[in-house]
Structures are given as C-alpha cells and as structure tokens.
Amino acid sequence: MSGRRPRRVVLTAVILLTAAAVLLDLGRTGWASQLRSAGATALGPVISRLGPSRDDELTGARLTAARAADTTRRQSQGTAASRHLADLLASPSLTGARLVAARVVAVGAQGASGPQRVTLDVGSRDGVTPELSVVTADGLVGRTVSVAPWTTDVLLVGAADLTVGVRVGSAGDLGMLGATSTSPRAPRELSLALVVQGSVRAGDVVRTLGSPSGRPFVAGIPVGVVASVDDARGQLGATAAVRPVVDVTSLDVVAILLTGPRSTPRATTTAGAP
Amino acid sequence: MRLPATGAVRLLALLAAVLCVVTLSARQLAPLPDLVVVVLIAVGLRSGVASGLGWGLAAGWLVDLVPPGGAVLGLQALVYAAAGALAGACHRQGRVSVAWIGLLALVVGASVEASHILLGLAAGAPVDGTASGLRVALTASTAALLVPVLLRLEGLLLRRGLA
C-alpha cells in the first residue's frame, strides 16, 4: 500500500502537467513547436525509412516545371510515383514554379474528420521552410507547418485549424474556406463563407486568393468545387459546401512550392497613356 | 535504475504500434485498427488501472510527438490515459477469454473514437461515423488476435524473472 501512494502522486502530477501542456499549446505559446521539432528530428529518419520506397526522381532534387517537362515527355512508363510526379510537373497551374517533389511517408492519427496532418520525406536540408504551399497535380493539399532536417509536417486542407482565403468562380468573389461550419456537411466537405453576398453556384471552382509573398498560399491554386449553396436567409454573406479537389486520404507524391518575397520592383506605369 | 523487461517490451510495443499506424496509413491502407488501444488493453488487463493510466499517458505522448503528431500537444495523452484506465479497470487474474478481450476492445476503442468525434464536433468539423465505426470493429478484431499473444509474452517474462 505504501508503494502505491508515491505512484499515484507521480501519475497525478503527470496528468496535471499534460493538461497544462494542452492549455499552453492551445494558447499558441510556441513551446510546442520546439518539442515537435525534437520529435521530428529524432524519429523523422525512421519514418522516412519505413514509409513508401523513394524513387530517384524524388531524391531531394529541386526541379523546375520547365526543365522536367522534357523528362516527363520521354517517360512513357514508370512506377506510380513517377506517373504522379509526371502529372504534377505537367500541371498548367505549376508551370514555371520552383518546387521540391516529396512523398508522403506518414499520416497522422485519423480523427473522426479524417487525416489532419501528414509527414513528407523532405526537410530543411532540401530547402523547405514553414508556411509554404503543398500541392498535387489536382490542387492544394495544405501548408508546411513544422520542418525538421529530413522531414516536414503538413497541415492538410480540411484540418479544423486551417482556413484558406479564396476566390470563387469566374467573378472571383472573395471568401474563406475551412472545415468548420454551422451547417451540416458530408464527411470531408469544406465550408465556404463569402465575404459579401455573391453569385456562387454549384460547380464553381474555388481557388486560393494568395498570401503576401506567396506564403503560405500561392494565388490561383484550385482548392475545391462548390457542391451546394446554403439557404442564405438571414446571413450576411452566402455560404456553400465545397468538395476538395484533392483526396487527402490517397496522397502519394506532392510538391512544395518554394516561394519567397518579391525581389524585383514592380514597374510603374502612367494611367491614360496610349 | 534498471528498466524491467516488461517496461521495455511495453515501450517498444507502443512505439511499434504508433509507427505502424502512421506509416501504413501513408501506404493508403485505411481504415486501420487503433494498435495503441490494442497494446493498452494488454497492459491494463495484466496490471490494473494505475499502470493502464500511466502507459496510456505515455502512449498518447508518443502519438503526439511521432511525426506528423497531433493537432494539440498533450491532448492524445489525456485521451489514451482514460482509455488505459478503462482497460485497467477490467484487470483480471488468470486467463482471459478472447470474447472478453474483444468486448473490452470494443468498449475502449469506442471510447477513444467517441473522444475524437466530440473533439471534431466541438471544432465544428464534419465527422465520418462510418469510418469511425469500422475503425472500432477492426480494433476489436485485432485486439482479439494480438492481446492474448502480448499477455503470453509478459507471462513468459514474469516466469523467467525478467519482470
């Protein structure tokens, strides 16, 4: 009996410390990122080895879409990863983009809403930094959040704490796209809220609005297609259900877009000049 | 202080369970059973509430720290601590039937899934009940197969004086 009391005290202390850790992480104090980095640095190489096998085309290379387009034309057959890479590099929305090809090697514990985070087999030694867009040939996958020397964690579109600024349809109406919603949604459907009343219709393509310096999101990347528009009675702006263009449950080869601040000044022009 | 062999085996089993789940999911094998719950059931049945709770905390921290990790650090530790305590509450001396293990795994697995569903609903995200139900069923089936093996392994270590 005397041995049980110290164990209970220790367990109680650990539970309280864990609860405090949860509150600190919810308060975005930043301490959690250091702990995650330590875990990723220690276990990232193990996970990379245990993950799907790597192709030579994906081994830490920086490719430009223009240079690799010749390679993809010569490739008529190949592994599934090679085909995914070929599709990625031939994607019109990525033409001219600098990117790092990567493979998904781990998927986070799936909550009731599906996967929230994945780990890629590239890291800081491959030029990856936090707050970069991650894409496939179909569209946006998410953004990089935690970067270790050899692995990178990605927060997926559809995660509860990821919201993307978007433009909708041909009119380019502004809106916010996320997983949280007050209206009922089908599993893995996203919720679109327009900033002002607009003319959103089922079938409209939703693309990223873009962020300053393209971080975390580059402008113009497809994110989803409007599945249905909610009844707008009593609401300030229209809301809609959006079906993501990327199926995050079947991710394999992805690309991290390497964007940085604009280095050349924008040319000025004179209004009304012929 | 020397770590008993059972402690080392449990730690390795939990680490293997977490690594299996994250890497197999990357190979598009889904849904997968919750292997962490399977190991915790073995621990709880063998050693009781306090051990189940302690090893549940450790398991949850592993889930949060092994890349890509959890959304909120420490949250999975609390979820799996409760699961381990629940498994430990069904601690029994002597042999345990496979049916009892399956039933316990169903209850503990359902409690973990229910926690995840509540967290998802609290965040306003849509939940996939079908996938959750399938995951619970797979966890129960896997536990019925693996838990007797894990219990026998710990029994062997005890008899050889390594525990």
Side-chain angles (χ1 to χ4, degrees), chain A residues 55-234:
Chain A
D55 280 350
D56 290 339
E57 293 92 345
L58 304 180
T59 311
R62 288 190 195 194
L63 302 172
T64 62
R67 179 159 58 87
D70 289 337
T71 308
T72 60
R73 278 195 289 273
R74 285 195 293 271
Q75 285 176 343
S76 57
Q77 288 182 346
T79 62
S82 300
R83 287 195 296 275
H84 288 141
L85 178 62
D87 291 340
L88 196 70
L89 298 174
S91 173
S93 58
L94 299 181
T95 301
R98 287 179 63 241
L99 52 87
V100 175
R103 199 148 191 193
V104 174
V105 291
V107 177
Q110 299 208 14
S113 315
Q116 310 275 298
R117 298 163 76 107
V118 297
T119 299
L120 307 181
D121 63 351
V122 292
S124 56
R125 298 190 190 197
D126 302 293
V128 179
T129 57
E131 306 297 319
L132 295 176
S133 301
V134 181
V135 299
T136 65
D138 296 324
L140 186 70
V141 170
R143 64 176 171 88
T144 58
V145 287
S146 173
V147 182
W150 295 114
T151 57
T152 297
D153 295 340
V154 177
L155 190 62
L156 298 174
V157 168
D161 48 354
L162 180 63
T163 303
V164 186
V166 295
R167 288 192 181 275
V168 184
S170 54
D173 294 325
L174 297 177
M176 303 298 293
L177 188 68
T180 59
S181 169
T182 52
S183 302
R185 298 281 181 244
R188 286 190 276 283
E189 256 186 4
L190 304 174
S191 198
L192 169 69
L194 289 190
V195 174
V196 291
Q197 281 288 354
S199 58
V200 61
R201 288 187 300 270
D204 281 347
V205 176
V206 180
R207 297 177 182 274
T208 52
L209 170 64
S211 313
S213 304
R215 300 175 74 114
F217 298 117
V218 174
I221 303 172
V223 187
V225 175
V226 176
S228 61
V229 182
D230 299 329
D231 186 352
R233 266 180 288 180

Side-chain angles (χ1 to χ4, degrees), chain B residues 37-46 82-92 96-112 136 139-141 143-144 147 151:
Chain B
V37 165
V38 171
V39 176
L40 286 179
I41 284 169
V43 170
L45 279 176
R46 169 68 69 183
L86 187 56
C90 301
H91 163 64
R92 285 185 172 185
V96 182
S97 72
V98 169
W100 175 245
I101 291 171
L103 182 63
L104 180 59
L106 208 62
V107 171
V108 176
S111 71
V112 172
V136 171
T139 302
S141 313
V147 168
L151 289 174

